[in-house]
Amino acid sequence: MPLQELTRPSELPQTPAPERGFDCDVAIVGAGIAGATLAAALKNSGLKVALIEAQTQAAAASKQQVYAVSLLSSRIFQGIGVWDRILPKIATFTQIRLSDADHAGVVQFQPADLGTDALGYVGEHRAILPALQEFINGCPNITWLCPAEVVSVDCQPDAVEIQVKLDGETRKLRSRLIVAADGARSPVRQAAGIRTRGWKYWQSCITTRIKPEKPHNNTAYERFWPSGPFAILPLPDNRCNIVWTAPHEEAKALFELDDEQFLAELTRRYGTQMGRLELEGKRLMFQVQLMQSERYVLPRLALIGDAAHCCHPVGGQGLNLGIRDAAALAQVLGDAHLLGQDIGSVPVLAGYERWRKLENLTILGFTDFLDRLFSNSWLPLVAIRRLGLWVLRNIGPVKVFALRLMTGMQGRTPQLAKR
């Protein structure tokens, strides 16, 4: 059922809303990793949280996606108290190798460049989300509503009323704030009339898991080809995740190959340095897009994760932006609540928008620039990017800045990540 148009007041008071039988303080629509991270981050905030998810917990956790997890995201999870449940089930990478097609000049990033023990992590959705779910299930201030469907949202001056269909019955939920964490096609965002800017790329992305014959040595590879970026990310048990971007027709043709033919093409692109390759699991394909919402907040409403923005998969930034959104919003809401402020008011929520919108736009622009710079064979650009790789290899401060940007360490750090 489509979500009806969200109604909202033209102006909200800046003073705390009066107590009028709130069911919760924060209603989060969407319990994927971004929404679940926000809920978990609010554990000790003193706020009562409702987590509304269209699927059962088991179904939501069964997706096949694989993600790069940045250093900052790991520290946010540490601050929440869930990292010890995640780390044993994911892979740590201690080297990044960045190259341009078959050009000999390879940029190697090491933990010593940042003074850390690792450069990042790679984990499957079914390893990360269940850990968050288990943590949330032990939080007395969080209530699950799942599987549940949001039917309507009505933003009033002092509250937001949400019609939720649960167990065949429609219930009314009254909250101070609704948070849309319901994906790139967010029904809540669309019902609110928040416009987005961006574009579909000329590329699609194929992801799949493989098991190489030789050890992956905890190395992440990002190799740029004129057709698009090609990444190899290490997973536990000497498996790897492939992220292969190509023009739509080429990607479609690759996706439709049988396993033997696909492995042959993969070996040609991957090389033979890791021996014979075996496919594990299904191949997934999706169109690549860039999207930025014009607003992240309205009275009684905030957007996080893919509901607010999407970026090119180069560099594995997408999930990490959503995790940072969640940590930032949790901090803003927690601080406002301690000061007795109305957490659903625009003056409070604007602090979150100022914090995250520009930082996200910077990463969206960075990933777009990388894709356009490397996904072509125009000779002047080839010369420029090869010069850029030389600079990364030989100019220490530039190398460190690029690495800090990739690992999330450049920009404002949420308090959760400092604990």
Side-chain angles (χ1 to χ4, degrees):
M1 180 185 299
L3 179 59
Q4 71 178 41
E5 183 178 357
L6 183 148
T7 56
R8 59 182 183 272
S10 58
E11 190 172 338
L12 286 174
Q14 297 185 21
T15 55
E19 293 290 345
R20 287 175 49 192
F22 287 101
D23 299 294
C24 63
D25 298 299
V26 183
I28 304 170
V29 181
I33 292 176
T37 298
L38 174 59
L42 291 171
K43 177 183 179 181
N44 297 317
S45 65
L47 296 167
K48 187 176 179 181
V49 179
L51 196 51
I52 306 169
E53 169 57 43
Q55 304 179 85
T56 64
Q57 290 187 36
S62 65
K63 295 178 181 177
Q64 298 297 307
Q65 286 96 327
V66 174
Y67 311 105
V69 178
S70 71
L71 290 181
L72 181 57
S73 293
S74 74
R75 294 178 183 184
I76 289 169
F77 286 143
Q78 270 188 311
I80 290 171
V82 74
W83 185 238
D84 288 344
R85 307 179 193 217
I86 295 174
L87 183 58
K89 301 176 182 178
I90 65 177
T92 302
F93 58 88
T94 54
Q95 184 175 190
I96 300 172
R97 291 176 60 86
L98 185 67
S99 59
D100 184 13
D102 53 3
H103 181 59
V106 176
V107 181
Q108 296 189 57
F109 297 98
Q110 308 281 352
D113 297 324
L114 284 182
T116 57
D117 296 328
L119 293 179
Y121 309 87
V122 184
E124 295 170 277
H125 181 91
R126 59 193 181 190
I128 299 172
L129 187 57
L132 284 164
Q133 291 174 341
E134 181 184 5
F135 181 88
I136 290 168
N137 289 337
C139 297
N141 68 315
I142 303 173
T143 300
W144 281 95
L145 297 176
C146 72
E149 175 188 356
V150 176
V151 178
S152 67
V153 178
D154 179 14
C155 285
Q156 300 174 351
D158 62 346
V160 54
E161 292 190 351
I162 309 161
Q163 296 279 353
V164 179
K165 190 173 182 179
L166 179 68
D167 295 329
E169 296 182 0
T170 300
R171 298 170 48 183
K172 182 181 290 186
L173 187 69
R174 197 163 187 271
S175 179
R176 299 179 190 274
L177 173 69
I178 183 171
V179 178
D182 50 347
R185 298 180 181 179
S186 169
V188 174
R189 183 195 69 227
Q190 293 180 35
I194 297 177
R195 299 172 58 186
T196 63
R197 297 183 183 274
W199 49 80
K200 302 281 188 183
Y201 285 94
W202 65 96
Q203 298 161 320
S204 290
C205 185
I206 298 172
T207 65
T208 190
R209 291 183 297 276
I210 63 166
K211 190 169 184 65
E213 181 181 8
K214 298 179 182 178
H216 57 49
N217 295 321
N218 299 314
T219 300
Y221 298 85
E222 185 83 61
R223 183 174 292 179
F224 294 98
W225 295 89
S227 57
F230 180 82
I232 307 165
L233 305 174
L235 283 169
D237 303 319
N238 200 47
R239 297 173 300 139
C240 295
N241 188 62
I242 300 297
V243 185
W244 190 345
T245 308
H248 299 313
E249 291 304 315
E250 180 181 339
K252 184 173 182 291
L254 288 167
F255 186 73
E256 292 175 349
L257 293 174
D258 62 33
D259 287 354
E260 185 176 346
Q261 293 171 322
F262 181 79
L263 274 174
E265 291 296 326
L266 180 60
T267 301
R268 273 193 282 272
R269 177 59 58 95
Y270 192 106
T272 59
Q273 72 271 22
M274 294 179 70
R276 185 171 58 86
L277 308 178
E278 296 180 16
L279 281 177
E280 283 202 349
K282 296 180 180 179
R283 283 169 263 168
L284 303 176
M285 185 173 74
F286 58 91
Q287 186 173 359
V288 181
Q289 67 169 324
L290 181 146
M291 183 271 286
Q292 171 84 316
S293 295
E294 290 188 347
R295 301 284 304 274
Y296 279 21
V297 303
L298 285 174
R300 306 284 161 204
L301 170 67
L303 311 180
I304 67 171
D306 288 352
H309 47 76
C310 296
C311 67
H312 196 286
V314 61
Q317 296 296 315
L319 176 75
N320 298 291
L321 297 183
I323 292 170
R324 277 177 255 172
D325 290 346
L329 183 57
Q331 181 174 324
V332 168
L333 297 181
D335 290 348
H337 179 63
L338 285 175
L339 294 172
Q341 298 173 338
D342 180 2
I343 64 169
S345 68
V346 168
V348 168
L349 297 176
Y352 160 70
E353 183 176 67
R354 286 192 300 269
W355 180 348
R356 292 302 305 146
K357 192 174 182 183
L358 181 58
E359 287 194 8
N360 287 336
L361 185 60
T362 300
I363 297 298
L364 265 61
F366 177 64
T367 57
D368 182 71
F369 171 76
L370 282 180
D371 185 53
R372 295 181 186 277
L373 177 63
F374 284 91
S375 296
N376 64 76
S377 53
W378 190 46
L379 289 179
L381 280 183
V382 172
I384 290 171
R385 70 194 190 217
R386 302 254 166 108
L387 175 62
L389 291 176
W390 182 90
V391 170
L392 281 177
R393 283 197 308 274
N394 295 282
I395 309 298
V398 176
K399 184 178 185 180
V400 170
F401 175 81
L403 191 54
R404 287 180 59 85
L405 196 63
M406 288 188 289
T407 57
M409 307 307 290
Q410 190 71 29
R412 183 177 172 184
T413 301
Q415 287 297 325
L416 274 173
K418 298 178 181 178
R419 291 180 180 174

